[in-house]
Amino acid sequence: MKLFRGLRNEAVMRTRNIVSGTASTEPNSVEYSGKTAAPAGRKFKPLTLPQILRRNSKSNTNITAPDVPNTSSVITAPLEELLTFEQNLERNHLSAAGQQLIEREERLYGQISEEVVQSTTEREEEKEQLTRDHKALLSQIDLAVKSSLSPDEDSLEALKSAVKAIQQEEEQDRQWLKQEGKRPDWRPSECRRHHNTVLQSLVEERMDNAELPPEESNKLRSSLQRDVCGKGRRLQEDLLRVVKDVKGCYPEDMDICNFFGKMYHQAFSAGMRKIEEYGLGMDDCSYLLYWVNVAYPEILQNPELTKVINPEMFGKLLTEELTTPLENQCLTHKEAEVQTLINKVLMVEEQAWMEGSVPELRDDCYFSPLAIDVIQFINAAVKSIETVWGDTSKVQIIVCLLKDFLNSYKKFQEKVLKGSNNGNSRTVIMAILACVEQFRDYIVNKADIFPVDVKECCLSIVAEMKNIGYTSLTSPIHKDLKSQYSGLGTPVWLEKKKEVFEKLFEGINKHTQDLKGLTDSCHQELLSQLHLEVTVEYVRRLLKRKIKLRDKEMQEQAARLLCEDGQRLHKLFTEAGSREEWLSDILPKIAEVLKLQDISSIQLEIVTLSQAYPDLSEFQVSALLSLKSNLSASAVKRVKKTLLDNQDTTSSQDAPSFFSKTDKINMRRMASS
């Protein structure tokens, strides 16, 4: 073979270099002290000089440097210790041992030089010995790879050498594939593939045998949870060790960190699939989903791991086909559990009302634990689902239960109002209002977890319950003040000046003092609603046309009364807690219309009034102008036309609603009576 010709000169030159002390070969590492190791990947160049090939063909104790003539008089420094194959193997100098075998392999399976006289028997014996030595080398490489996750320094050094030996074997495989002729039975050795298989077995074994320390194991509820957590802990610790220690033993092109990551991912996934095959209780089902959706992804997002491991290569721990039934099981159970709990809370509340129990008084406020309990049950389920899924994508099935509950709660409120003869109904309504306020705050603060339509529906129910509750508390007040209201906007009101309003004012003041038992915020809202309703009732009575203001003097007198009454009402309610500051302008603006005499000025004031309160109607303007009996029909018509011409173009959608309530307020009061 031409491949093996012309090697005499190379061998002679190598011998001369050794003799002259100018050999340029570099040691492979501290593990290999022999000087004849060929670099990995070189072409087969069997050594043919008798001086180099002098070996004991009956033994496998080959020396890693060639014999040379006695040159002690020339060499100025002692040679380093020369190690045999067995010594390199024993000391885990695996790349050196592998290089020795490669040199023997090249010699034995290459063309026999004419200077090498060797019997066929001797060559066969050497080949058999080489086969045994090669198996021994692979076994030692296996041991080094299996010890790759051991923390000691010796194991890491052995692994580094084993990886180099694997690379040498891979290169030798490639060289043989380029050649023709007989090659060793073990070629190609596929050492890299075998290395991967060994690592896979190592990972699977470590994951199968993973256990938690007793102090941590005792904190978990089931053997399944201990098994899953133990595997997860083992995966985390081993991958961190790979990144910290093992990575440095491999070349970058082997991408060992992602390889380990994939092996551990597959082992963990296989363990999860086995567990999933068995019927799981709710706790175990939730725990398994928690590891799939949260705990495992968090491990892979460790900054030390993300530098060298790409978890997107691995996929999900369990496929959607496997997780979907578990998720449905978990969500269905949570939904039924919460539904049962909140229904029971409402049932207990209704039973207490029917038995005549008065709600507990806390800080002078009637209190019910209903809202707190319901919100806690819903919130606990939401947090549990967030923990299991790692986000809020699945919590809507739970928060949607609140809509149905609020509808049931509203029916209970209506039942309480119908049974108002019960001595505890008024206090129960106050407790309901406090609960409704808590529900409103929860919905607003947690708006992001509610579907938009469900949130709007819940807030609508809450607002309706508030209005019904407040109206039930203000209706008796208006009923009691009916006789005082009746004098407003009548000749008596104008003639006796402050007397009529004074009685009304005293009655309102007494009732505001008696409004106790509500939370501060509910008390403010109730007073705000009462403030609005009293003002609306005042204007409604005025627009009943029971008085005729015949001249300028009477109109100015009525305007002064309106301003004075408006100021006193506003002061009374705001000092009591009302927050409806805008109501202070209503009566003065009406008074301004009554006071003006010039038609153009009246037109301008009506337009201004309609801009402030877009719900001002043509009918209400007619009623207001009718109080000014000295105003001609044509003048009234001009003012109304001005209103209609400007109403659509000047109204503001953000302006408060007032005049439309002058008809609705009586209807609401009648409905609640």
Side-chain angles (χ1 to χ4, degrees):
M1 293 171 60
K2 293 181 180 180
L3 174 65
F4 300 106
R5 293 175 181 173
L7 297 180
R8 181 191 304 271
N9 292 338
E10 178 190 347
V12 171
M13 287 301 297
R14 292 175 59 195
T15 304
R16 287 177 180 173
N17 287 339
I18 295 173
V19 173
S20 62
T22 60
S24 60
T25 55
E26 297 179 1
N28 192 15
S29 70
V30 294
E31 64 177 273
Y32 175 46
S33 58
K35 300 300 183 181
T36 62
R42 68 172 175 82
K43 292 184 178 180
F44 298 157
K45 296 179 180 179
L47 307 179
T48 58
L49 291 182
Q51 293 94 331
I52 296 173
L53 298 179
R54 190 177 302 139
R55 304 176 187 273
N56 184 353
S57 61
K58 306 279 186 187
S59 171
N60 63 352
T61 59
N62 300 319
I63 307 300
T64 61
D67 289 336
V68 297
N70 185 4
T71 58
S72 59
S73 61
V74 179
I75 298 175
T76 59
L79 291 174
E80 298 179 15
E81 181 185 5
L82 304 181
L83 302 178
T84 64
F85 168 77
E86 290 84 355
Q87 289 171 326
N88 277 323
L89 203 62
E90 182 180 355
R91 300 182 189 187
N92 276 326
H93 298 170
L94 303 180
S95 65
Q99 188 61 48
Q100 289 173 312
L101 295 187
I102 288 173
E103 291 181 4
R104 289 165 57 189
E105 176 186 338
E106 291 177 355
R107 178 175 62 84
L108 289 172
Y109 287 88
Q111 183 178 0
I112 304 176
S113 170
E114 62 275 12
E115 296 189 16
V116 179
V117 180
Q118 195 173 31
S119 68
T120 302
T121 302
E122 288 176 334
R123 287 179 61 82
E124 291 304 318
E125 288 177 354
E126 282 200 39
K127 287 181 179 181
E128 292 175 3
Q129 185 61 49
L130 180 59
T131 301
R132 289 191 292 271
D133 289 348
H134 191 264
K135 289 182 180 179
L137 174 65
L138 295 184
S139 297
Q140 202 65 20
I141 290 175
D142 284 357
L143 292 176
V145 172
K146 289 177 180 178
S147 302
S148 58
L149 294 175
S150 299
D152 59 278
E153 188 65 28
D154 289 344
S155 296
L156 294 177
E157 287 299 323
L159 179 61
K160 287 181 183 179
S161 187
V163 172
K164 291 178 183 177
I166 291 170
Q167 289 179 289
Q168 292 168 183
E169 286 291 303
E170 288 289 296
E171 178 61 24
Q172 191 72 355
D173 283 347
R174 287 190 289 271
Q175 293 299 328
W176 270 113
L177 291 175
K178 297 176 184 178
Q179 310 302 326
E180 297 179 357
K182 182 174 177 57
R183 59 190 177 192
D185 294 338
W186 64 81
R187 292 294 177 199
S189 63
E190 296 183 333
C191 205
R192 172 80 172 269
R193 186 172 64 84
H194 182 69
H195 157 271
N196 294 348
T197 302
V198 171
L199 276 187
Q200 182 176 359
S201 299
L202 170 66
V203 168
E204 291 173 352
E205 181 181 356
R206 290 181 67 82
M207 291 292 280
D208 288 342
N209 297 328
E211 292 183 355
L212 289 173
E215 61 273 12
E216 295 186 31
S217 178
N218 295 334
K219 296 177 182 178
L220 298 174
R221 297 182 179 181
S222 68
S223 58
L224 180 146
Q225 295 178 18
R226 288 188 283 271
D227 183 48
V228 171
C229 188
K231 284 179 166 59
R233 177 70 61 83
R234 171 57 55 83
L235 178 146
Q236 180 182 35
E237 292 174 350
D238 284 1
L239 287 184
L240 287 172
R241 185 175 299 162
V242 167
V243 172
K244 180 182 177 183
D245 299 325
V246 178
K247 174 176 173 286
C249 300
Y250 285 82
E252 289 187 11
D253 64 336
M254 291 188 73
D255 196 15
I256 194 62
C257 294
N258 275 312
F259 179 80
F260 263 107
K262 183 178 180 181
M263 292 299 102
Y264 273 100
H265 174 85
Q266 291 175 346
F268 200 12
S269 178
M272 287 287 199
R273 289 195 299 272
K274 289 181 181 178
I275 292 172
E276 190 269 340
E277 292 174 359
Y278 301 97
L280 300 179
M282 267 313 303
D283 286 343
D284 289 343
C285 180
S286 297
Y287 193 78
L288 192 67
L289 288 173
Y290 163 72
W291 268 94
V292 171
N293 296 319
V294 181
Y296 179 62
E298 284 181 354
I299 289 175
L300 296 184
Q301 291 304 316
N302 182 306
E304 293 299 315
L305 299 182
T306 55
K307 293 177 183 177
V308 288
I309 293 179
N310 180 14
E312 294 182 1
M313 297 170 54
F314 310 151
K316 294 201 69 174
L317 202 55
L318 289 179
T319 63
E320 289 187 8
E321 182 181 358
L322 296 175
T323 57
T324 298
L326 298 178
E327 290 174 351
N328 292 338
Q329 176 186 347
C330 184
L331 290 173
T332 301
H333 176 85
K334 282 292 179 187
E335 182 184 19
E337 182 181 52
V338 173
Q339 185 75 68
T340 301
L341 290 171
I342 61 179
N343 286 345
K344 184 176 181 180
V345 169
L346 183 56
M347 183 179 65
V348 170
E349 190 81 358
E350 187 170 353
Q351 185 66 30
W353 168 71
M354 294 175 63
E355 292 174 355
S357 299
V358 176
E360 179 185 353
L361 200 61
R362 290 188 182 180
D363 299 326
D364 297 325
C365 304
Y366 290 105
F367 168 81
S368 168
L370 179 140
I372 294 176
D373 291 343
V374 170
I375 290 172
Q376 283 182 344
F377 291 140
I378 291 177
N379 226 23
V382 167
K383 288 182 178 179
S384 174
I385 291 173
E386 286 178 346
T387 299
V388 170
W389 271 267
D391 55 43
T392 61
S393 61
K394 302 292 183 179
V395 302
Q396 294 183 352
I397 192 173
I398 300 299
V399 297
C400 285
L401 295 175
L402 186 58
K403 181 182 73 171
D404 294 334
F405 175 83
L406 289 175
N407 277 320
S408 299
Y409 196 30
K410 181 170 172 280
K411 291 179 181 178
F412 168 63
Q413 182 190 41
E414 293 168 351
K415 188 182 296 186
V416 173
L417 292 174
K418 288 179 181 178
S420 57
N421 293 331
N422 292 10
N424 63 344
S425 291
R426 187 171 185 272
T427 58
V428 170
I429 290 296
M430 289 184 173
I432 288 175
L433 286 170
C435 288
V436 167
E437 182 183 41
Q438 291 172 319
F439 283 126
R440 178 192 61 191
D441 292 344
Y442 178 75
I443 296 166
V444 171
N445 294 333
K446 294 286 188 178
D448 58 315
I449 66 175
F450 283 84
V452 175
D453 58 330
V454 174
K455 180 191 70 175
E456 291 177 352
C457 183
C458 288
L459 289 176
S460 176
I461 296 171
V462 165
E464 191 174 354
M465 289 184 71
K466 281 200 313 176
N467 289 333
I468 291 173
Y470 291 143
T471 300
S472 72
L473 295 176
T474 61
S475 291
I477 297 175
H478 294 301
K479 185 176 182 180
D480 186 59
L481 295 174
K482 185 176 181 179
S483 60
Q484 288 91 320
Y485 283 139
S486 63
L488 297 173
T490 65
V492 176
W493 165 71
L494 190 61
E495 292 169 4
K496 296 188 176 182
K497 297 183 179 180
K498 297 183 180 180
E499 184 178 332
V500 173
F501 179 76
E502 195 64 37
K503 290 182 180 179
L504 175 63
F505 184 86
E506 290 176 359
I508 294 172
N509 188 40
K510 178 181 178 297
H511 281 293
T512 57
Q513 298 296 323
D514 292 339
L515 288 176
K516 297 178 180 178
L518 291 167
T519 63
D520 289 344
S521 55
C522 287
H523 187 257
Q524 285 183 341
E525 289 183 353
L526 177 61
L527 283 170
S528 296
Q529 180 163 321
L530 183 60
H531 186 185
L532 173 62
E533 290 175 355
V534 168
T535 307
V536 167
E537 184 64 20
Y538 191 114
V539 173
R540 192 182 71 83
R541 294 283 178 170
L542 185 65
L543 297 182
K544 280 196 167 192
R545 312 182 192 191
K546 291 184 177 182
I547 188 173
K548 297 294 182 181
L549 305 175
R550 293 184 297 274
D551 52 31
K552 177 181 177 181
E553 183 180 355
M554 291 183 69
Q555 292 169 14
E556 288 180 346
Q557 182 183 354
R560 283 194 299 273
L561 281 176
L562 280 176
C563 289
E564 291 172 3
D565 293 352
Q567 288 176 358
R568 294 189 67 190
L569 276 178
H570 186 72
K571 183 178 180 182
L572 170 65
F573 279 109
T574 54
E575 287 181 352
S578 171
R579 294 171 293 185
E580 304 298 328
E581 293 288 341
W582 63 279
L583 291 173
S584 64
D585 296 331
I586 299 289
L587 295 182
K589 286 181 181 296
I590 294 175
E592 190 65 22
V593 175
L594 295 180
K595 184 174 67 174
L596 294 173
Q597 302 300 310
D598 179 65
I599 296 299
S600 298
S601 298
I602 294 174
Q603 287 175 307
L604 180 60
E605 192 61 31
I606 289 294
V607 170
T608 302
L609 191 62
S610 68
Q611 288 176 341
Y613 311 104
D615 60 339
L616 178 66
S617 69
E618 180 184 358
F619 173 80
Q620 290 157 344
V621 170
S622 296
L624 178 58
L625 294 178
S626 70
L627 299 177
K628 300 167 69 72
S629 58
N630 61 343
L631 204 61
S632 66
S634 61
V636 171
K637 188 174 181 180
R638 285 171 57 190
V639 174
K640 290 166 61 176
K641 184 177 185 305
T642 302
L643 170 70
L644 296 176
D645 290 344
N646 290 275
Q647 202 165 34
D648 293 337
T649 59
T650 61
S651 62
S652 171
Q653 294 182 350
D654 297 329
S657 174
F658 178 81
F659 285 95
S660 58
K661 299 179 185 294
T662 57
D663 294 326
K664 295 179 180 178
I665 191 167
N666 280 341
M667 295 175 62
R668 287 201 303 272
R669 259 202 312 274
M670 291 173 61
S672 62
S673 297

